[in-house]
Amino acid sequence: GAGRTPDLARASSPRCDPAHAHHPDSAPTRPPPVFQQPAKGLHLSSNDMPGAPRRARKRTSQTMWIAGVPAPWAHRSKPLRQDHGQGAVDWAWVKILERNCVVKIFVYCPASLATGGTELLHQLVHECRRMGLDAYIDYVGGLGAAGRPPKFAHYDAPYSAAEDRDGDVIVVPEVFTPLVSRINRAKTYVWWLSVDNYYRRRGDGKFSDMARSVASLLSGRRSSIRSLRRHQHLVQSHYAAEFLSEKGLASRFLGDFIGEEYLAPWVPQGARKDLILFNPKKGWRITRELLRGLQGIGVVPLSGMSSSELRGHFRTAKLYIDFGHHPGMDRLPREAAISGCCVVTGRRGAAANSLDIPIPERFKIDERSIAQARRRFTEVVADIFSNFNARSEEFEPYRMRIRGERERMRSEMAEIFNAR
C-alpha cells in the first residue's frame, strides 16, 4: 500500500534489482553509488509498480528509496557525476525504472557503410550500453545483422529491428529523414551529423549541389524541414545547430569522439618530415590549385590506407590540410591534430566557425579567391615547416578538447535520454 516502501522485486526487468532498494531505516552506512542527472522527484507507491492495474495507480507522498538515495533527489544544479568509491551509476537507470523498465533505444544506420558518420552511430549505441541503457542498432537496407561493417565489430552495438512503442526512443540520422513519418508512438530524435549530406551536397559545384538537393526532395529521399518540426533534434556540430536555428528549430548538442587508438600513448619515431597530408575525396579541386604553388615538398593523399597506416602518416608528417566542405565536425582533422600534426583548413561549412574546429584563425584560409588563397597557403606552409615545434604548441588547446570528447558525449547522453 501507500504506507510502505514499494517492493522492487515486482519489477520485470533484470536491471530492477531489489538489492538496489533500501528503506531509510536500513540505508547503508557507506555512501552508495550516486546516479547521474537527478530526476525531478519520483514518488511511487506499490500501485505504481509493473503489474498494478492502470486505473489503480496513483501518486502518493510516500518516498521511494533507491540505493539509499531518497526521492525527490537533489536539484539539477548539482554535479552530473559523483563517485563514492563504488563506481558511478547513471540516472538513466532511474528513468528506466520509472517507466517500468521497458525503454529501449534504437539507432538507424546505413547498412554495410564504414564512414565517420556510421561509426558515430555505432559509438552512440556502444556508449548507451556502457551506461546501462538497452540500446540497439538497426541497419537500413534489409541486411539485418549482416549490415555491420567489419571495421566496427569491436563496438558493443547489437542489431535489432526498431520497435515503435510508447516509451521507446528511435534516433534517425539526417540522411534518413523520410523514415520519421513511419514512427507513430516512439519518441523520435533526428540527429544531424551533417548539414550537407541532408541536402545531398558534395561541395563540388554550386549548380550540381543545387540539382542534387532538389532531386532528393522530389524523389522523397529527404523530408522537408517543415515536416520535421514536431520531432526533437540533436546536432553533432555547431554548424548544424546554426542551420536549424535559422530554420526555426531548436536542437541539443550530442557530439562524438575519435577512436581510442589515437588517444593511446605512443613514442615518436625521429623528427617529423616536411610532408603535407590531405584527403583526396574532399575539396580536391581547391587542394590541387593550392598545391601547385609549392615546389620540393612531399604530398601524401590519404587514400586506400589501413587504420594503422593512416596513424603512421599522422605521427610522422608535419601538416594535414582539409579544404573540403566540412558538412559536420569531421574526424580526420581531429585525428591528425591529436597525432601531432598541424592542421590547415578552408572556411567552408563547419570550418567557418571557431567552435567546431577551434584552431588559430591564421590556419584557416579563405579559398574564395584562389590566387590570394594560394599565396597565403604558401606562407603558412613555410612557417609551419620552419617553426614546427612552436606552431604545433598552438594546437594544444584543440588537442585538449579532443581528449575530453568521450566524457562530454556521455554527459550529453545523460541529459538527453533522461530529460522529461
Side-chain angles (χ1 to χ4, degrees):
R4 64 183 180 87
T5 303
D7 181 7
L8 295 188
R10 300 172 64 178
S12 59
S13 169
R15 279 179 294 191
C16 299
D17 186 352
H20 287 282
H22 299 278
H23 190 276
D25 294 334
S26 62
T29 56
R30 183 179 180 183
V34 178
F35 299 101
Q36 287 187 5
Q37 197 58 17
K40 295 181 179 178
L42 178 58
H43 300 278
L44 298 178
S45 71
S46 56
N47 288 331
D48 292 293
M49 299 307 295
R54 182 173 297 275
R55 63 178 178 275
R57 298 183 187 181
K58 60 182 179 180
R59 296 286 180 178
T60 76
S61 59
Q62 174 66 28
T63 298
M64 181 177 184
W65 284 67
I66 300 177
V69 183
W73 294 282
H75 191 267
R76 279 183 176 267
S77 62
K78 290 196 173 183
L80 281 176
R81 188 178 185 88
Q82 299 180 31
D83 195 331
H84 293 287
Q86 300 180 12
V89 184
D90 300 306
W91 281 108
W93 191 90
V94 178
K95 294 298 297 181
I96 291 172
L97 178 62
E98 183 181 8
R99 295 176 181 174
N100 297 337
C101 306
V102 296
V103 170
K104 291 183 179 181
I105 298 175
F106 300 95
V107 179
Y108 283 140
C109 178
S112 303
L113 185 62
T115 65
T118 56
E119 182 168 11
L120 173 47
L121 298 170
H122 286 79
Q123 285 179 339
L124 175 60
V125 175
H126 178 90
E127 291 301 312
C128 280
R129 297 179 70 84
R130 285 189 61 190
M131 296 173 68
L133 294 166
D134 199 13
Y136 301 89
I137 201 154
D138 184 0
Y139 295 109
V140 177
L143 297 178
R148 175 191 292 255
K151 182 179 179 180
F152 303 149
H154 62 286
Y155 288 116
D156 180 16
Y159 165 81
S160 177
E163 301 169 3
D164 185 9
R165 302 185 307 178
D166 291 331
D168 287 345
V169 171
I170 300 179
V171 179
V172 182
E174 84 291 342
V175 294
F176 288 146
T177 51
L179 296 181
V180 301
S181 62
R182 306 178 189 177
I183 303 171
N184 298 311
R185 302 177 67 183
K187 187 174 185 178
T188 307
Y189 288 101
V190 179
W191 196 10
W192 294 80
L193 310 182
S194 161
V195 173
D196 300 74
N197 289 346
Y198 164 73
Y199 285 110
R200 303 309 195 266
R201 296 193 298 236
R202 299 176 184 173
D204 54 1
K206 180 178 179 179
F207 295 106
S208 58
D209 279 347
M210 184 180 299
R212 275 190 289 267
S213 176
V214 172
S216 65
L217 183 62
L218 295 177
S219 64
R221 286 184 292 158
R222 69 177 174 93
S223 300
S224 66
I225 294 293
R226 182 188 298 273
S227 68
L228 300 175
R229 293 188 181 280
R230 68 183 181 92
H231 302 285
Q232 298 196 44
H233 298 266
L234 308 174
V235 292
Q236 182 258 3
S237 65
H238 295 277
Y239 171 51
E242 292 174 1
F243 164 77
L244 292 180
S245 179
E246 292 172 357
K247 302 295 183 181
L249 297 178
S251 62
R252 305 178 72 173
F253 199 87
L254 179 60
D256 66 337
F257 58 91
I258 62 173
E260 290 294 326
E261 63 273 17
Y262 284 95
L263 302 175
W266 53 279
V267 179
Q269 301 295 320
R272 286 185 174 263
K273 303 174 183 177
D274 290 348
L275 289 177
I276 297 177
L277 310 178
F278 70 97
N279 180 2
K281 296 180 180 179
K282 294 188 176 183
W284 170 238
R285 181 179 61 83
I286 296 173
T287 301
R288 178 182 56 196
E289 293 298 324
L290 297 181
L291 293 177
R292 284 178 178 174
L294 302 178
Q295 295 181 354
I297 295 178
V299 177
V300 179
L302 302 178
S303 178
M305 297 182 182
S306 66
S307 296
S308 59
E309 290 173 333
L310 194 64
R311 290 196 302 276
H313 281 296
F314 281 149
R315 292 173 178 178
T316 56
K318 289 183 177 180
L319 176 61
Y320 169 78
I321 63 174
D322 193 331
F323 288 89
H325 55 299
H326 296 273
M329 196 160 53
D330 286 350
R331 304 175 75 89
L332 280 181
R334 288 179 283 164
E335 292 169 350
I338 202 67
S339 300
C341 283
C342 293
V343 176
V344 172
T345 71
R347 290 184 176 274
R348 290 190 291 170
N353 66 68
S354 61
L355 298 173
D356 291 328
I357 304 183
I359 62 177
E361 285 298 310
R362 70 175 179 277
F363 297 122
K364 293 184 177 182
I365 298 175
D366 190 339
E367 61 269 65
R368 287 177 296 182
S369 170
I370 292 297
Q372 294 181 9
R374 185 187 295 123
R375 184 164 51 252
R376 178 63 186 146
F377 178 70
T378 302
E379 294 172 356
V380 169
V381 171
D383 182 37
I384 290 174
F385 284 1
S386 300
N387 307 283
F388 176 74
N389 291 335
R391 298 298 165 261
S392 180
E393 283 295 321
E394 298 182 47
F395 290 86
E396 278 307 308
Y398 186 29
R399 294 175 183 132
M400 288 293 293
R401 199 194 77 165
I402 294 169
R403 293 185 185 100
E405 286 176 340
R406 189 168 199 161
E407 284 306 311
R408 280 196 301 276
M409 182 182 184
R410 288 173 63 85
S411 295
E412 291 157 359
M413 288 166 57
E415 275 279 348
I416 292 164
F417 297 124
N418 301 326
R420 291 178 182 272

